[in-house]
Amino acid sequence: MNGYPWYHPELPRDKALKSLEEFRRDGAFLVRESKRGGPKNPFTLSLWYNNQVRNLQMRRRDDGKYALGSMKDGEQAFDSPVELVEFHQNNPLILANSEGKTKLKQCCPVY
C-alpha cells in the first residue's frame, strides 16, 4: 500500500487520533498498521465521523480476503486493503450499533 496518501504504516494510534481531531471532516480517514491486531487484523482504518474518531479493524479472513470489523454473515470482502478502501470511497460503510454510514471521502493529513 506504500504510495497511497491515506496509508501511514508507522503512525501510532494517538497521532492518528490527533490528526483526525484537528482535521475534523466527516469521512476523513487514514489506514495504519495495527500494533496489536496480529496477522488476523493487520491494519486499522481510522475514520472521523459525527464528531468522533472510529477505529475499524481491517481483518484478514481465512480465505485471504479483507473485511471490516468482526466476522458477520453476508459481509463484504475484498482481495486487498486497497480494494476495500477504494470500494468505500464510492459506497458507504455502515458503522456498528446503528451509528450511521459514511463514505471514505478524503485522506486525512498527518500533523
Side-chain angles (χ1 to χ4, degrees):
M1 288 189 290
N2 291 328
Y4 286 91
W6 41 260
Y7 182 56
H8 302 278
E10 300 297 319
L11 188 68
R13 181 183 176 120
D14 62 330
K15 290 200 181 210
L17 177 74
K18 181 178 185 280
S19 294
L20 285 160
E21 285 176 340
E22 289 183 17
F23 196 55
R24 301 184 71 82
R25 292 193 175 102
D26 273 352
F29 72 99
L30 53 86
V31 175
R32 58 190 174 80
E33 286 183 4
S34 178
K35 298 301 179 205
R36 291 183 262 159
K40 291 282 189 181
N41 296 294
F43 306 106
T44 300
L45 171 66
S46 296
L47 166 70
W48 180 265
Y49 179 71
N50 202 18
N51 292 316
Q52 62 182 307
V53 175
R54 303 323 204 251
N55 288 297
L56 309 170
Q57 290 297 314
M58 295 176 85
R59 178 172 40 86
R60 185 178 303 142
R61 301 176 353 160
D62 290 339
D63 63 3
K65 293 187 180 267
Y66 290 84
L68 286 174
S70 302
M71 188 172 75
K72 47 206 148 307
D73 290 336
E75 70 185 358
Q76 291 180 301
F78 304 90
D79 290 330
S80 71
V82 171
E83 189 178 296
L84 185 152
V85 167
E86 289 175 346
F87 178 83
H88 287 297
Q89 287 176 313
N90 296 303
N91 301 279
L93 63 88
I94 299 168
L95 299 167
N97 303 320
S98 301
E99 291 185 19
K101 60 185 177 179
T102 186
K103 292 179 184 175
L104 302 177
K105 296 178 182 173
Q106 57 188 316
C107 58
C108 178
V110 174
Y111 297 99

